[in-house]
Amino acid sequence: MCIMEKMTLPGLPDLDIGNIFCIGRNYVEHAHELKSEVPDKPMVFLKPTSSVIFNGDLIRLPQQSQNVHHEVELVVALGKGGKYIAESEALSYVAGYAIGIDVTARDIQQKAKDKSHPWTVAKGFDTFAPLSSFIPAEDIEDPQNLDLKITVNDKVRQSDNTLLMIFPVAELISYLSGIFRLQPGDLIFTGTPKGVSPIVPGDRIEATLNDNLATLSVSVE
Ligand code: MG
């Protein structure tokens, strides 16, 4: 894989990809399916920019894992940066929305959880952050009413609505900005609904936001 210089966000060419914040356990039924507690504040981890791929690219399963899962998620791109952003103002910082997959090495993550170690390795392999093109924020009326869907070889694996998020997008931005100085181009993977399951070589994956508003097609190698 080539070493990339700055990567601009597809659909938002004025923005280079910044930090990639991810939220764990932001849907109750997903927390339950992994036998995890429902958090009382957002659970935050990061992915490296080297994990990003786009439409038509390949998810490469790492040799270190025997159990890699898809997690379909709404992804937010920030157009403005800031610190201590009020929840009431937070959505005005969003430049666009995409559908993404928080690819996860579940076996490595489970071992990390058992030992209270960080999730960085389980979440951060190359190709573990596929992203669709971004839809400008002004074209999305309400980020808390978007259908997320993922099919693997044409079979639906996850299909839910962002209405079910425990911490909505505005609250996530406000919360993160109290910890990190947010910057234009920062991304937020907002958590996955129920239905995560393994992917194997040869799988064809399609993820969509509101049916065809944004579409992401990737294959697994
Ligand atoms: Mg996730």
Side-chain angles (χ1 to χ4, degrees):
M1 188 172 289
C2 64
I3 302 295
M4 278 168 282
E5 295 161 20
K6 285 191 170 178
M7 276 184 293
T8 56
L9 288 171
L12 300 171
D14 295 340
L15 290 173
D16 294 321
I17 295 181
N19 288 321
I20 306 174
F21 301 104
C22 304
I23 307 301
R25 302 177 192 165
N26 201 18
Y27 291 79
V28 171
E29 289 180 71
H30 170 63
H32 288 166
E33 75 182 346
L34 294 186
K35 303 191 169 36
S36 300
E37 277 178 34
V38 176
D40 57 6
K41 58 180 196 275
M43 174 197 275
V44 182
F45 61 94
L46 293 128
K47 279 183 189 273
T49 52
S50 48
S51 62
V52 171
I53 59 171
F54 301 110
N55 247 316
D57 289 342
L58 286 171
I59 297 173
R60 296 179 197 275
L61 299 181
Q63 61 184 20
Q64 294 93 331
S65 174
Q66 272 63 59
N67 188 20
V68 174
H69 281 194
H70 57 78
E71 297 189 356
V72 71
E73 308 197 1
L74 174 69
V75 181
V76 175
L78 298 182
K80 287 192 290 182
K83 186 92 182 173
Y84 305 116
I85 298 166
E87 208 176 306
S88 58
E89 301 291 314
L91 291 183
S92 71
Y93 286 71
V94 177
Y97 298 91
I99 192 82
I101 306 172
D102 170 16
V103 182
T104 303
R106 193 69 72 202
D107 46 358
I108 295 174
Q109 185 197 34
Q110 188 56 54
K111 281 185 199 145
K113 283 181 181 174
D114 292 345
K115 295 182 175 179
S116 300
H117 286 177
W119 294 3
T120 311
V121 173
K123 298 285 194 175
F125 285 100
D126 294 347
T127 76
F128 269 27
L131 286 172
S132 75
S133 192
F134 282 78
I135 309 300
E138 51 269 29
D139 295 344
I140 303 269
E141 205 171 306
D142 179 5
Q144 302 312 139
N145 185 20
L146 293 169
D147 291 324
L148 310 177
K149 189 160 95 173
I150 187 166
T151 65
V152 178
N153 305 325
D154 303 318
K155 291 213 174 73
V156 177
R157 296 269 187 97
Q158 294 180 271
S159 180
D160 254 314
N161 190 283
T162 56
L163 179 72
L164 297 171
M165 281 184 194
I166 299 168
F167 305 104
V169 172
E171 195 173 338
L172 293 177
I173 293 168
S174 178
Y175 179 81
L176 289 169
S177 76
I179 303 166
F180 310 100
R181 176 165 296 285
L182 300 179
Q183 300 168 70
D186 283 353
L187 302 180
I188 308 168
F189 279 70
T190 58
T192 197
K194 67 181 183 293
V196 300
S197 63
I199 53 176
V200 297
D203 280 347
R204 286 176 297 103
I205 301 178
E206 187 159 285
T208 57
L209 196 58
N210 272 6
D211 285 332
N212 56 5
L213 189 60
T215 304
L216 170 65
S217 299
V218 288
S219 298
V220 182
E221 183 177 81

